[in-house]
Amino acid sequence: MIKPINTNLQKLSRPSLPATRADLFIGQDLQDTLAAHRKHCIGMAANMIGENKRVIIAQLGPLPVVMFNPQIISQSHPYQTKEGCLSLPGERFAKRYHQITVQFLNRAWQKQSLTLTDLAAEIVQHEIDHCNGILI
């Protein structure tokens, strides 16, 4: 279901709670909402659609990938970049890493690990920051 974008800074600044299997529906809501905003959005976190759970979606090439309880387990090659966010007006500077490895649970609740670089890594870092209550 397409959900409205949350712009409440107080709610966005709260760290998200761990996701459970009961939260699988959030993955579909994120996918539907991301598709509705695809012209200007490449990733979302559940708190951006009003769900305070550790769930994100990232457009990784042609596929949107939903991640439950994502966690960055390694990162290398830091850099500064400018990012925008659907929940916030304008752009802001952020420290990111060119390469990360992220562990997460997929929709089948299986543990997965991905090593991502450049834009894909940046998207996931931005969305995990949302889960941690960190806004750019």
Side-chain angles (χ1 to χ4, degrees):
M1 175 184 293
I2 299 170
K3 299 287 190 169
I5 302 301
N6 177 18
T7 58
N8 181 312
L9 296 181
Q10 187 176 12
K11 289 181 181 179
L12 290 168
S13 296
R14 280 189 226 145
S16 299
L17 301 171
T20 67
R21 286 180 188 247
D23 300 314
L24 286 171
F25 73 95
I26 296 171
Q28 187 61 54
D29 289 348
L30 281 170
Q31 187 169 342
D32 294 345
T33 307
L34 181 65
H37 294 277
R38 70 180 162 264
K39 288 186 180 181
H40 51 276
C41 184
I42 52 178
M44 290 185 160
N47 65 356
M48 294 175 64
I49 60 167
E51 298 286 349
N52 191 31
K53 294 292 187 149
R54 293 187 67 81
V55 186
I56 68 170
I57 188 168
Q59 190 71 41
L60 303 180
L63 299 174
V65 177
V66 176
M67 301 179 187
F68 294 88
N69 299 319
Q71 198 172 10
I72 296 170
I73 58 171
S74 70
Q75 56 195 22
S76 61
H77 310 295
Y79 67 101
Q80 285 287 330
T81 190
K82 217 173 182 184
E83 297 177 348
C85 180
L86 268 185
S87 293
L88 303 167
E91 292 185 333
R92 292 166 183 79
F93 287 100
K95 180 181 179 181
R96 297 293 180 224
Y97 294 85
H98 281 289
Q99 182 173 312
I100 65 166
T101 299
V102 61
Q103 274 186 344
F104 60 96
L105 297 169
N106 65 15
R107 289 180 180 193
W109 218 248
Q110 298 167 324
K111 194 173 194 177
Q112 301 283 295
S113 179
L114 286 175
T115 297
L116 304 169
T117 59
D118 301 322
L119 181 59
E122 188 175 328
I123 297 166
V124 170
Q125 290 170 83
H126 180 103
E127 304 314 334
I128 290 176
D129 275 358
H130 268 293
C131 291
N132 294 328
I134 298 168
L135 301 175
I136 58 170

